[in-house]
Amino acid sequence: MRNDVRERREGKGLSQGALGTALGVSRQTVNAIETGKYLPSLPLAIALARFFGATVEDLFHPDGNDA
């Protein structure tokens, strides 16, 4: 599953550690989400979406599709 977390994080000028701290997770968790090695739980996906002012569907794209 493709996601836009890295692009949105970098767009806000945040490090992985800073985003992790804001969400209550580790830098390693943020890295794993960004690289597609870990699919976040629904509560974490919602927290990410809210943090970026987006919807879960805006951030995560099943099968690599953008729509």
Side-chain angles (χ1 to χ4, degrees), residues 5-32:
V5 175
R6 174 171 288 166
E7 292 83 2
R8 295 204 183 223
R9 175 182 59 77
E10 290 176 346
K12 285 188 167 269
L14 296 171
S15 68
Q16 289 177 339
L19 178 57
T21 297
L23 297 172
V25 300
S26 69
R27 178 200 61 78
Q28 292 86 350
T29 298
V30 173
N31 179 270

Side-chain angles (χ1 to χ4, degrees), residues 23-59:
L23 297 172
V25 300
S26 69
R27 178 200 61 78
Q28 292 86 350
T29 298
V30 173
N31 179 270
I33 292 168
E34 289 182 353
T35 59
K37 294 178 183 172
Y38 173 74
L39 293 177
S41 64
L42 183 56
L44 181 52
I46 291 169
L48 279 161
R50 287 184 177 162
F51 182 86
F52 291 118
T55 66
V56 172
E57 292 84 0
D58 287 337
L59 289 180

